[in-house]
Amino acid sequence: MQRKLRVFDTTLRDGEQSPGCSMNLDEKLRMAAQLERLGVDIIEAGFPIASHGEFEAVKAVSGLLKKTTVAALCRTRKEDVERAWEAIRDAKLPRLHTFIATSDIHLHHKLNMTKREVLQAVNKMVTYARSFTDDVEFSAEDASRSEIDFLAEVVDVAIKSGATTINLPDTVGYATPVDYGNMFAEIRRRVPNSDKVTFSAHCHNDLGLAVANSLAAFANGADQVEATINGIGERAGNASLEEIVMAFFVRSDAFNATSRINTRELYPTSQLLSSITGVKVQPHKAIVGENAFAHEAGIHQDGMLKNALTYEIMTPESVGLTRTMNLVLGKHSGRHALQKSCAELGYQLNNDQLQQVYKVFLQVADKKKSVGEQDLVDILKNHSDIVSAAKKPADLRKELTG
Ligand code: KIV
Ligand code: ZN
């Protein structure tokens, strides 16, 4: 039977903690509406105790969403839980998300609490959160660096106190996929009633392993993944939502799971976030980067012109791009791609003309990083013998390859 992947988007909370990515109320509302269109299951709208503005934004998102669960983050403190509940109480599907750190490092250096005090806080605040709603998520912050016996005890208490989702974050991006997967397997094996709750993965990208770790957690029983659009978040960011979703989509043979995501909304969502925050996506970013569907090497371009399956594992359309083929002209490009680009500009070149233009093109390409449309027009204009629209591209392809 196919498993169901639950996608928990934390762009508006953990993502917003990224330098330069904070959003005002109106911006959060626009993002939330787009995330609902994308089809995520849960939107973590913010950390209401943090500020008045944050509280108002979470409240507004709660009033807006029709079919998506709205989560609000709170520490295991009474005033936090109450403030978070106040912000989401009008949501159609409210979730309280409470957390406390469980690693020795955090207990000693940050919380100054004993293990016993942590267990008491989990018991008290998960129980308190459950008095407001049936949907309570508990996160053991820094779970991946926590001592496994203590982590199992904490999870046991959280489940007994009423948590319905158990999140085991790799808060500092320290885990490897094997470590992280094993942690889920071990906790699920040790803790009674683990099969009655949903386990969740929450990964940071300090070693560039956030997506791989999330997939390893899924393979070991985590049915929920927490991620952000464009992978924004603390330090090196969170697991990138679009990468996880497309891994499931393209490699459905490996995961045998479905999600509610409309993959065609991935690119528009990425663009919206980028335009709201002003933070650009790196060009070679998987799925949504400018170069994700661009091809420069001659051999690749030739393959693409014959059949896109040669060098693309998904279509640009499947992630919401309308562009069908992006052949970038540069010194690695071949005659085939050059001919196609010339044809798109209205210049149909025969073999001799193509050889001539190719020579000049390479001289220009050796001097520039890429040859743009205007460069190509200039090259073609300087060759007055080149006729416009003389032959159809299909005839020319025969001539070239035949
Ligand atoms: O990274 C983390 O541990 C978190 C928790 C608060 C869920 O963001
Ligand atoms: Zn986090």
Side-chain angles (χ1 to χ4, degrees), residues 195-223:
D195 56 329
K196 308 276 188 315
V197 299
T198 301
F199 276 85
S200 177
H202 177 113
C203 299
H204 282 265
N205 208 28
D206 301 66
L207 292 174
L209 293 172
V211 171
N213 285 341
S214 305
L215 300 180
F218 181 82
N220 285 281
D223 288 315

Side-chain angles (χ1 to χ4, degrees), residues 13 17 44 47 72-77 80-81 96-102 106 110-111 121-122 125-126 137-142 167 169 171:
R13 199 279 297 171
Q17 292 173 214
E44 185 163 56
F47 187 22
L73 187 69
C74 45
R75 290 165 295 187
T76 48
R77 293 186 187 181
D80 271 44
V81 176
L96 282 171
H97 177 192
T98 187
F99 76 99
I100 190 165
T102 52
H106 279 238
K110 186 183 83 174
L111 296 176
V122 174
M125 286 307 124
V126 172
E137 173 165 337
F138 169 74
S139 287
E141 190 189 12
D142 209 15
N167 183 34
T171 303

